[in-house]
Amino acid sequence: MAGFSFSCCCLINPPILFTLPTESPPFLLGSGKDPPATRRRARKLIVSNAHSNPKIINPKKKSRYGQTLSPYDTDEEEELDDDSDDDDDWLLNDDFAEVTEYEKKKPKSQKQTIAKKVGKKEKVKSWEKLEESETDVDELDISITRNASDKKKKVEKDSWRLDDRVKVSSRKQVAKLYPRLSEEIDIDPKWVPLLDYLTTFGLKESHFVQMYERHMPSLQINVLSAQERLDYLLSVGVKHRDIKRMLLRQPQILQYTVENNLKAHISFLMGLGIPNSKIGQIVAVTPSLFSYSVENSLRPTIRYLIEEVGINENDVGKVVQLSPQILVQRLDITWNTRYMFLSKELGAPRDSVVKMVKRHPQILHYSIDDGFLPRINFLRSIGMCNSDILKVLTSLTQVLSLSLEDNLKPKYMYLVNELKNEVHILTKYPMYLSLSLDQRIRPRHRFLVELKKVRKGPFPLSSLVPNDESFCQQWAGTSVDKYLAFRQRLLLKDFANKYEKRK
């Protein structure tokens, strides 16, 4: 489940200009009148943080407004997961940032603007700079007529009034279609086509309330504009099932234009050397990156990684793939505090810390007090010195994200009591701590013991490294099917034992 928001003085993530769409209601423009919905229900801001392990994020982090940021999902997020039919595994949340740009006009006003500029020389801005073009009046009239005809056909074709329901023109009709939503907010009948369309992505009335509270103008978008933007995201690899979570975290996405925003950010990611197959995944995990300026925020962040942190330019794309939230972080603070801590606590040289960031950039999200220190102190408690701990962390930085009670401690006990190994062996085989105790370590150990392939003395940890096929050939001298059947029986037996203990 992105980064943290900080002061506007930062050069890495500069302030994001907030502009209101011209189609926003009067109460947003300072009329002094609150909408009916705000009188019924107080609007609230929900903030999430991006990280690998929510339990070890610094609970004292504050937003740029001085508010304490919670490292945990909100109750509404939990309700979302309960209502969801998806089995997605979203490990990372993202933060919310202000929007850089909005759709300025509805389609009709766009036509009027074009008509007024007939015969004038115009510049077209998009993710690629296009040459200036001069349009003939007659050709433009024909183009406008053709576009109007195409749009009319598209409206007829893409009618999002589901189940052949008649056009909704009154709030009473809206209340019948969306009763729960109507109780929470005052719905304009014009919103209904968009709501119908969004339900095709699995959004429900409770989700619309959440979107409204986070960013009300997102529900005022024309359905065809919303469809164009979401279709583009789908075309670059975002999965249909991920759209719902993206909208709940960053509803402003519906307002980001394809040409002026979405394409520019996708082009930026591709420029980092990120494969096309990974683009959709990165966007789905960190949709808030669209609210950051490419030139004023994202590119400076990459430059900081290269020039200040010391990440090789060829490796930056890999770092972003491992932790997309790094693009929306205050790197000057997160990098310096963690580097200074590891240097002082373990005597870590700069090169070692850079290797840690390169292999597991998520450490830039982890809290020092709740993440780094407890795990370092645990390794000390089992007899490891600082130099040994540094070797382990440099080779397997993920140790800093592993649960003490459910992961590190059980594996250590099995290493000493069952495998008869000393703790210093972990400096040679640090990956032991990353292997599954139930799926890899225990089954292979028990299998070799049953086959009487184990000699007296410490169990060879090198037998845990290869894949199943190589393990069976090199160590067990038997077929993979036989080993897999043994492992399945062992898992069922362990499950039955745990079930009996719960009774």
Side-chain angles (χ1 to χ4, degrees):
M1 283 205 228
F4 307 101
S5 298
F6 291 88
S7 170
C8 297
C9 297
C10 175
L11 296 177
I12 303 305
N13 287 330
I16 303 169
L17 298 179
F18 184 90
T19 57
L20 288 171
T22 56
E23 53 188 351
S24 299
F27 67 82
L28 288 178
L29 301 177
S31 65
K33 297 181 181 181
D34 293 330
T38 58
R39 293 196 296 267
R40 298 183 201 170
R41 183 184 181 94
R43 294 171 62 185
K44 54 188 176 180
L45 176 66
I46 302 173
V47 182
S48 299
N49 294 318
H51 48 79
S52 293
N53 187 339
K55 295 183 181 179
I56 60 178
I57 289 299
N58 189 349
K60 297 181 181 179
K61 285 290 184 180
K62 292 186 177 181
S63 70
R64 69 179 68 184
Y65 305 106
Q67 298 171 326
T68 301
L69 302 179
S70 171
Y72 302 97
D73 289 337
T74 63
D75 292 337
E76 291 184 1
E77 289 281 339
E78 293 174 3
E79 292 176 1
L80 162 64
D81 292 336
D82 292 338
D83 293 339
S84 175
D85 296 329
D86 298 338
D87 293 326
D88 320 358
D89 211 357
W90 284 68
L91 300 178
L92 304 169
N93 291 333
D94 57 60
D95 68 334
F96 295 90
E98 294 174 334
V99 184
T100 52
E101 55 184 310
Y102 290 109
E103 180 188 32
K104 297 296 183 183
K105 295 286 183 180
K106 291 185 179 180
K108 287 186 178 180
S109 59
Q110 288 176 349
K111 292 182 192 176
Q112 294 170 358
T113 303
I114 294 174
K116 289 178 182 179
K117 294 183 179 180
V118 169
K120 292 184 179 181
K121 204 174 195 179
E122 298 180 345
K123 282 187 178 180
V124 182
K125 295 181 179 180
S126 70
W127 68 295
E128 293 179 335
K129 290 185 178 181
L130 304 179
E131 296 181 356
E132 294 185 3
S133 59
E134 193 168 331
T135 309
D136 183 81
V137 177
D138 294 334
E139 290 180 352
L140 184 57
D141 288 339
I142 294 173
S143 176
I144 293 175
T145 303
R146 184 183 298 111
N147 290 338
S149 177
D150 292 344
K151 180 171 287 187
K152 183 176 180 181
K153 292 179 181 179
K154 186 172 181 60
V155 170
E156 294 174 355
K157 178 180 178 181
D158 297 326
S159 175
W160 292 106
R161 291 302 310 125
L162 304 181
D163 303 328
D164 297 324
R165 287 177 285 187
V166 297
K167 181 179 179 181
V168 176
S169 58
S170 70
R171 282 174 168 75
K172 289 184 178 180
Q173 290 176 300
V174 175
K176 292 180 180 180
L177 296 172
Y178 297 99
R180 180 180 175 183
L181 184 60
S182 298
E183 291 178 0
E184 300 287 342
I185 61 179
D186 187 19
I187 308 176
D188 190 317
K190 295 179 181 179
W191 300 0
V192 173
L194 176 64
L195 298 179
D196 286 344
Y197 170 57
L198 295 181
T199 59
T200 64
F201 294 97
L203 284 106
K204 302 177 182 178
E205 292 184 77
S206 60
H207 302 146
F208 294 137
V209 173
Q210 187 175 337
M211 290 176 62
Y212 181 91
E213 290 173 340
R214 290 185 172 177
H215 193 69
M216 184 273 290
S218 62
L219 295 182
Q220 298 179 326
I221 299 300
N222 176 275
V223 64
L224 296 178
S225 297
Q227 183 188 6
E228 176 192 18
R229 291 153 195 177
L230 296 185
D231 281 350
Y232 177 76
L233 293 177
L234 293 170
S235 73
V236 298
V238 176
K239 295 180 180 179
H240 187 278
R241 66 187 182 190
D242 292 340
I243 293 293
K244 179 175 73 174
R245 289 195 180 254
M246 290 177 63
L247 290 177
L248 292 175
R249 287 173 167 80
Q250 193 79 3
Q252 297 95 322
I253 286 177
L254 293 175
Q255 294 178 294
Y256 298 153
T257 60
V258 173
E259 294 297 327
N260 295 333
N261 186 304
L262 302 183
K263 281 188 176 181
H265 287 75
I266 297 301
S267 178
F268 164 76
L269 293 176
M270 291 179 174
L272 298 178
I274 297 173
N276 293 344
S277 59
K278 299 293 183 180
I279 295 293
Q281 181 182 346
I282 291 174
V283 170
V285 170
T286 318
S288 62
L289 71 88
F290 289 114
S291 64
Y292 289 81
S293 166
V294 171
E295 297 301 327
N296 299 327
S297 182
L298 301 183
R299 291 196 192 282
T301 296
I302 296 300
R303 283 198 296 271
Y304 189 91
L305 281 172
I306 296 172
E307 298 172 4
E308 301 297 330
V309 177
I311 302 296
N312 189 287
E313 186 173 352
N314 296 328
D315 295 325
V316 168
K318 297 176 183 178
V319 170
V320 172
Q321 289 182 62
L322 291 172
S323 180
Q325 294 77 18
I326 205 170
L327 291 172
V328 293
Q329 271 192 294
R330 277 287 304 268
L331 286 184
D332 55 341
I333 294 178
T334 58
W335 158 253
N336 286 323
T337 54
R338 284 149 186 79
Y339 166 60
M340 292 175 64
F341 169 79
L342 291 171
S343 177
K344 181 179 179 180
E345 191 74 16
L346 299 176
R350 185 184 182 91
D351 289 346
S352 295
V353 183
V354 172
K355 288 179 181 179
M356 294 182 196
V357 174
K358 177 182 173 182
R359 292 174 178 176
H360 193 69
Q362 291 88 340
I363 65 169
L364 296 178
H365 311 314
Y366 298 160
S367 163
I368 290 176
D369 293 334
D370 299 326
F372 284 60
L373 269 176
R375 285 146 187 83
I376 290 175
N377 288 335
F378 167 74
L379 294 176
R380 284 172 175 160
S381 71
I382 63 176
M384 297 184 72
C385 61
N386 285 350
S387 60
D388 288 341
I389 295 173
L390 182 58
K391 288 180 182 178
V392 171
L393 294 184
T394 304
S395 301
L396 190 74
T397 315
Q398 292 91 324
V399 168
L400 295 172
S401 69
L402 299 178
S403 168
L404 288 174
E405 298 300 327
D406 299 331
N407 202 311
L408 295 179
K409 290 182 179 180
K411 289 176 183 176
Y412 165 70
M413 297 301 294
Y414 198 86
L415 175 74
V416 175
N417 297 332
E418 301 294 334
L419 303 183
K420 308 301 180 182
N421 272 272
E422 299 291 336
V423 69
H424 67 80
I425 194 68
L426 294 177
T427 59
K428 185 176 181 181
Y429 294 101
M431 69 174 300
Y432 169 84
L433 295 173
S434 69
L435 300 175
S436 169
L437 182 59
D438 294 330
Q439 297 284 344
R440 175 74 70 94
I441 300 173
R442 185 182 289 114
R444 290 197 179 183
H445 171 238
R446 297 278 182 85
F447 190 58
L448 292 180
V449 169
E450 183 175 282
L451 296 176
K452 298 180 180 180
K453 298 279 186 177
V454 179
R455 298 178 182 178
K456 291 183 179 181
F459 181 81
L461 298 190
S462 56
S463 64
L464 304 175
V465 176
N467 57 32
D468 289 341
E469 184 176 352
S470 298
F471 165 73
C472 291
Q473 290 177 355
Q474 298 173 15
W475 294 92
T478 185
S479 67
V480 176
D481 291 339
K482 187 175 181 179
Y483 166 66
L484 295 178
F486 172 85
R487 185 176 67 180
Q488 184 66 21
R489 291 194 302 271
L490 183 62
L491 290 173
L492 291 174
K493 183 178 179 181
D494 291 342
F495 176 79
N497 291 336
K498 291 179 181 178
Y499 180 77
E500 288 295 330
K501 290 180 181 180
R502 293 178 182 176
K503 285 186 175 182

